Amino acid sequence: MFPTPIEKRSPAGRAAYQALLPVALILWLLPLIAVAVFSIRPDADFSNANYWGWPSSFEGVSNYSKVFLESDMPRYLLNSVLITAPTVLGAVALSAMTGFALGIYRFRSNLWIFFMFVAGNFVPFQILMVPVRDLTLDMGLYNTKTGLVLFHIAFQTGFCTLFMRNFIRALPFELIEAARVEGIAEWRIFWYVVLPLMKPALAALAVLVFTFIWNDYFWAVVLTQGVESQPVTAGITSFNAQYRAAYHLMSAGSIVAALPPVAMFFAMQRHFIAGLTLGAVK
Amino acid sequence: MSGVTLSNVIKRYGQVQVIHGIDLEIADGEFCVFVGPSGCGKSTLLRMVAGLEETTAGRMSIGARDVTHEDPAERGVAMVFQTYALYPHMTVAENMGFGLRMNGHPKAEIREKVAEASRILKLDDYLKRKPAALSGGQRQRVAIGRAIVRGPEVFLFDEPLSNLDAELRVEMRVEIARLHKEIGATMIYVTHDQVEAMTLADKIVVLRAGRIEQVGAPLDLYRDPDNRFVAGFIGSPAMNFLEGTVRNGAVEVPALGRAVPVPVRLPPEGTTVILGLRPEHLGLVEGDESFTVELTEALGGVSYAYLVAGNGERIIVEERGDQRSRPGRRVGITFEPERAMLFDAQTELRLR
Amino acid sequence: MSGVTLSNVIKRYGQVQVIHGIDLEIADGEFCVFVGPSGCGKSTLLRMVAGLEETTAGRMSIGARDVTHEDPAERGVAMVFQTYALYPHMTVAENMGFGLRMNGHPKAEIREKVAEASRILKLDDYLKRKPAALSGGQRQRVAIGRAIVRGPEVFLFDEPLSNLDAELRVEMRVEIARLHKEIGATMIYVTHDQVEAMTLADKIVVLRAGRIEQVGAPLDLYRDPDNRFVAGFIGSPAMNFLEGTVRNGAVEVPALGRAVPVPVRLPPEGTTVILGLRPEHLGLVEGDESFTVELTEALGGVSYAYLVAGNGERIIVEERGDQRSRPGRRVGITFEPERAMLFDAQTELRLR
Amino acid sequence: GSHEMKLEGDLKIFSDMSNPAPRAVMEGMVERFEQMHPDLDVELTVIDREAYKTQIRNFLSANPPDVANWYAGNRMAPYVDAGLFMDVSDLWDDEMSAQLASTKGAMTMDGKQYGVPYTYYQWGVYYRKDLYDQYGLDEPQDWESFKANCQTLLDNGVKCFTIGTKFLWTAGGWFDYLNLRTNGFDYHMKLTAGEVAWTDEGVRQTFANWRELIDMGAFIDNHTAYSWQEALPFMVNGEAAAYLMGNFAVAPLREAGLTDEQLDYYQFPAINPDVELAEDAPTDTFHIPSGAQNPEAAKAFLKFVTSAENQTMINAGDALGQLPVNAESSVDEDKFLKEGFTTLSENSPGGVAQFFDRDAPAEMAKVAMEGFQEFMVRPDNLDQILQRLQKAAERIYE
Amino acid sequence: MTQATLPDTHPGRGRSWWRRNQIGITPWLFLAPGIAFFALYVIFPIFQSFDVSLHAWDGLGEPRYIGMENYAELAEDPAFYTSLRNNVIWLLLYLLAIPAGLFIALFLNQTVTGIRLYKSLFFFPFVISQVVVGLVFTWFYDPTFGLLNIVLGWVGLGPVNVLGDPAYVTYGIIAAGLWPQTAYCMILYLTGLNAVNPEQIEAGRLDGAKGWRMLWHVVLPQLRPATFIAFVVTIIGALRSFDLISIMTNGGPFGESRVLSFYMFEVALSEYGFRMGYGAAIAVVLFVIMLLFIAYFLWSMYREERDR
Ligand SMILES: Nc1ncnc2c1ncn2[C@@H]1O[C@H](COP(=O)(O)OP(=O)(O)OP(=O)(O)O)[C@@H](O)[C@H]1O
Ligand SMILES: Nc1ncnc2c1ncn2[C@@H]1O[C@H](COP(=O)(O)OP(=O)(O)OP(=O)(O)O)[C@@H](O)[C@H]1O
Ligand SMILES: [Mg+2]
Ligand SMILES: [Mg+2]
């Protein structure tokens, strides 16, 4: 293990490390902590230029209830869920399939198809903006969650395929061969052998894609409009435009918008790290 | 009837040919072991029998069926892999029953067959465990159980024991021998290990560079190898080889400083030949000073003396009992000439 | 002077004690081998000598220096790992020279020492290659070369050959023996392998569960084990053990159906004892029907007969030559009583 | 009135009235309209005002509502040209034309009308009367007193003007006023129509005047970092004394605690005495997209919006706090609205401009306002800026 | 049983066409939906963008073919060069996330109690939307009340208008972007450090390598895969930077913080212009730059695959 485990250091070194950890963490998260504190300050603190002092009163409840009750934030949050969940499902499902095909089978164009996904994934997505918007318009899906979901699934498939394929590559190929000798149809091999083994990768990918999609702003702006279909990132900007300079409300809104991916990450972190180790850093 | 017949079987990877026309007949119920140096094509040949590698040319049949182009699943073979290849997410019972389940056999039948196999392999207590919770030997047993359950005509093993430690290896080896006796199916077994080959096989196939060097029963190969390669490959420690020349109806061996009257039909006068002597057929004698003891290794019951001749040739002599020659001593060797073998130096073929 | 001395050395991981006070004296230039079952603490002890694990209690010195709390780099030891642990991004030459480079030796000196080591190990042609482009045996040689280059007082090996195949293992074993003779440094060697231990060691340390069972020269351990554990551990195939009872100044052995007059000071009448018989000291006889041949394994030079006694006890008998008993035959065994060993059934200590 | 008609079905409205007060007004209007037409189901979508500007293109062609907010003048030209706004000339009967005469021109292209106005508002200088009083200052009457006032404030450590130029258009307001006062309404209109070069001497004079203020340090520091709202606290806290802004700034200033005693308004004073005073008064409008599903109801809604009664109501001080367009509406009792009404109706002989980014084509507006912002930070770059603007103009106007 | 033949113990001896070609066809069936989606939404649009870049089009009327005019104009557009310059700055400085991430990973690569929680918390910034990050840093930089200036005030330095000053603005935004990006690199390195072969570290210790030298000579070479991924995602992140600029400065002041991706959005879809063709041309240029990295990435991958 590198660096040398701290248990092997002197007790003083150990204590110093233990003390340094929280300090470093607070410094690292300072901007976030600031926002969190902002979000429970009363309006008056900002007029009185009491930005960094002790909050003159704790208005967390009223600030957050304002966000939830007097704005469209709940609606936006719901939209985000309705956009993110199908996308995660779709992208993970599609890429499990492509990853399986590319990771297990040898055929001539294998590497080229794989490279197509990889290259497509790294494309600056702005280049897709104009045509994708037109495509969505033509399909009659402009300003629908479906339109956004379909695009996200397609675009994420590139990254997910890279991830899945590498993961599947690392599985022992004998498992597939053993199954073939046993006379198991290919799709059953996928379903009963490969898929269960990919659980950590699926979890890691689900978290990553969830994060990417939840936080997407660009495509939300390009493909949707209005509260009926826009996700929370777009919602937070319009919320902020509405309450510009009302820092306490903006902060509360931002925290609300940021919370779901954080929760998701926490729930899945064990799988996330395991999957990442196997899939990405190989 | 489920013997395996290979006729002029060839395998090419792109331009590289790795199996050069193999003809082989394995009888129904026979235990056939493939041995040979690393990279000689043992695994490839086995995988071709399994259908995991396509056969480039030639014919392959199992029983009366031509299976050359059949799917692995349809050949009626089962394979045990070196790394076990157990499905880590399934319990032992599920691992064993998986193939049947996927092929739509009724649950009761599966349960019964799994129970039967686990009885044979003494796995009853572990049926609910996942492979990760098993020791190496147990995993290997599950892998074998998975093969048994499907009741195949032919079992294929690719170095099934090489991931186990020495002790377990012995144990599992005996187990496999017992299994073969019990179910009597045709088995093809790939190994690196001398001892496994000698003890398990009804028939050993010695491969070199994609070609068969010799096929035969273990002791036949030991006693009557066709060529120098097989002679050197079978037996441990390996056979000693000394250069010699045919002179006056005997073989003059410089290292020994004398002529040896090998009782075989000798080639013409003056031909260079190679004299093969197994370490276990040699004895040390005092008085003769042809060799110097370089090193001795005592293993308890036996010890090996590494000797070097005046002309630099080296041989190994097995000594029984606890005696152990001191390094540096000068010794001679004795042997019964009828136990010596003679090989043509050019073709390396056995002269008999 | 660079012998290694351990005085009451103890290792604890948290609450778990894995090394229980080891006292050991390894002389300068000695080749000392640690053997013992898996998990007995061989590696731990070796790594403690290397300084890779801290010593919980006790003293450890190399030569005259107390190194108990010194850094690994300062102990003057070099270690060869089971997985070689070569730096994959460096060439062979860089791998070997790395230690010197880190300690600020001049370039010319490093080059010279690397050249010297690669000559000894016949690695000259590979100096520019990366480890990935080497075979297993070559990698192992590089790992040894890396140790040699630093000119350590003590070499440590942790199962250095267990990742090689059988043939290479033999070859490298001889290589290491030669190396020890050539450079004469103190070496400590951990292995699972009987043969390695017996052939390489000046002194074998048999460990069990973090304690030393016996220390001695290989043949001494073979001939004169202190207890049943050592007797069973040294020698291959392992010693046979049969239960017996002291009766009338002899040992009555039910499996044999007779009393054996073992020439040792016998414990009181009626004590249960264990009779130890090495397979190589046994012979088969007709007429006596105490045992049934269950299975025989012919390896060419020797074969092993697996016998089962009437009371279910099993023993193995080594048969020389080509003869091979048929399974199912009923046989008896012979041996010289002075070669039999006797152990207390309770304490498992040798009775002599 | 539209009461007689029987309307049914859905009416989809997209609105950019996303700030709290306008939002309430919009929702109120919809409510009242629904009450008038119980069988009609009005579906209102309020979109963030900034986002709306980019999204209108998408929904006009892809997903058109029945009614949409937009702006008068040049800003509606692309949509009219592309046939995305419906010709509503039939709504503009004589009665309506008379009531909305002041903005009919701004709603007309090629002789046809493409929408209706619902509000406009004056621009001008909002200032801290208490500070002015404290330093003994009066509302300036000309350029000299304007600068002199400023100097006094600066000498007392108070900035003359607050401004936040992060979103550029606030700088456009300054340019509008400086240019209108330096070169006059007609010149300004020619400039925004691409008929006068940016390198023209007149433009340079405008910038020279502006530079006087910049060199004095009249504007707050770091204005590039702020939006217009974020610049408000400087005035509220007394760090800056005035704000050149539209009337919509009054509401947040009041909310922040400034009383009507503290806050006052004056018209931007003359600079060149030879030109007549002209004002900015941006007009916000409603349009019917060509793809509207329910044009009947849409027209009824437009008619409803323009009614004098409605405009009075929505422009009231407690609502939008702006000026009604309908001449028959009454202006709220609010002092700023009254002053603004007077300014626009009596004191703006030169004419009424829409606003820089509505008078000039969008692309030109963007480039130019970026230039203004740069000029405010780096006045020395003027030549370079003007050349850049001229080059852009040559391309944009072709 | 009326059947005369022996019962067939091996099911599916039907030799249907499907059974014989199963292994050949299955991958294509598995690939079909993924490829279809990807082609429709990603591959095809890339070519469409090339096409659009040759037209003048406001997104409303009919596109008009103008050949290379958009590119010619681009070549003389100062805003384009500003964006390009900023892109280069982004690329270079964003790479700082890699050593920073490594540093934090090394700091956290211990096994004290609660370290997992610390690791997760350090990863936070990556999980949070850039919209929020942008907002947070905008306040951090605020010239009047921003924490940055308060801290600078303590050490006697005057307030710096980071986001309003063309000299600092790009760096300010990059610093904000580095925050989550560093977290990302950190997690990559943490997983990479997990996979470092402990025997090599021990060999290094015996060889006398310590501290930085151990890191440089023994550990870093083993972290190459992690470094490679970190490099790739960082480059991509740098070239895609859009959200932060949009939130923090909207490209200002006077366009000094624009990068190509933002500029193209501004030109093609923002309030003040709808020049789809021109925007597409910028996208094409950005694509060509990115292509260099894509090519590099694919080449590395190809080499790795070949060596396998
Ligand atoms: N996919 C492949 N492409 C090209 N050559 C291959 C391929 N697989 C195996 N070979 C070559 O075929 C030859 C035989 O390989 P095979 O694995 O059958 O050897 P083996 O006898 O099983 O060796 P070992 O004892 O090491 O397992 C080797 O020379 C190997 O390099
Ligand atoms: N880091 C550790 N923490 C706790 N226990 C450990 C640790 N390392 C080793 N042990 C325990 O110490 C004992 C000795 O381990 P060691 O690796 O020395 O055995 P060994 O004799 O080398 O075995 P093998 O032959 O399998 O290599 C084992 O029981 C092991 O479980
Ligand atoms: Mg093989
Ligand atoms: Mg060990």
Side-chain angles (χ1 to χ4, degrees), chain B residues 43 158-159 190:
Chain B
S43 299
D158 192 355
E159 310 203 17
V190 166

PDB file of all heavy atoms in Angstrom, chain B residues 43 158-159 190, ligand 3:
ATOM      1  N   SER B  43      -4.121 -28.089 -25.482  1.00  0.00           N
ATOM      2  CA  SER B  43      -5.393 -27.424 -25.203  1.00  0.00           C
ATOM      3  C   SER B  43      -6.165 -27.201 -26.480  1.00  0.00           C
ATOM      4  O   SER B  43      -7.383 -27.400 -26.528  1.00  0.00           O
ATOM      5  CB  SER B  43      -5.146 -26.075 -24.532  1.00  0.00           C
ATOM      6  OG  SER B  43      -4.488 -26.253 -23.330  1.00  0.00           O
ATOM      7  N   ASP B 158      -9.021 -29.998 -19.014  1.00  0.00           N
ATOM      8  CA  ASP B 158      -7.828 -29.254 -19.416  1.00  0.00           C
ATOM      9  C   ASP B 158      -7.034 -28.878 -18.176  1.00  0.00           C
ATOM     10  O   ASP B 158      -7.363 -27.919 -17.483  1.00  0.00           O
ATOM     11  CB  ASP B 158      -8.212 -28.011 -20.216  1.00  0.00           C
ATOM     12  CG  ASP B 158      -6.993 -27.381 -20.887  1.00  0.00           C
ATOM     13  OD1 ASP B 158      -5.873 -27.867 -20.631  1.00  0.00           O
ATOM     14  OD2 ASP B 158      -7.172 -26.428 -21.672  1.00  0.00           O
ATOM     15  N   GLU B 159      -6.005 -29.607 -17.895  1.00  0.00           N
ATOM     16  CA  GLU B 159      -5.173 -29.391 -16.714  1.00  0.00           C
ATOM     17  C   GLU B 159      -6.013 -29.102 -15.476  1.00  0.00           C
ATOM     18  O   GLU B 159      -5.837 -28.077 -14.834  1.00  0.00           O
ATOM     19  CB  GLU B 159      -4.214 -28.218 -16.943  1.00  0.00           C
ATOM     20  CG  GLU B 159      -3.460 -28.362 -18.250  1.00  0.00           C
ATOM     21  CD  GLU B 159      -2.167 -27.596 -18.265  1.00  0.00           C
ATOM     22  OE1 GLU B 159      -1.696 -27.214 -17.181  1.00  0.00           O
ATOM     23  OE2 GLU B 159      -1.631 -27.381 -19.358  1.00  0.00           O
ATOM     24  N   VAL B 190      -5.917 -33.348 -20.376  1.00  0.00           N
ATOM     25  CA  VAL B 190      -4.674 -32.666 -20.750  1.00  0.00           C
ATOM     26  C   VAL B 190      -3.892 -32.365 -19.491  1.00  0.00           C
ATOM     27  O   VAL B 190      -4.460 -31.892 -18.511  1.00  0.00           O
ATOM     28  CB  VAL B 190      -4.975 -31.350 -21.485  1.00  0.00           C
ATOM     29  CG1 VAL B 190      -3.730 -30.483 -21.569  1.00  0.00           C
ATOM     30  CG2 VAL B 190      -5.504 -31.628 -22.874  1.00  0.00           C
TER      31      VAL B 190
HETATM   32 MG    MG F   3      -3.008 -25.573 -22.444  1.00  0.00          MG
END
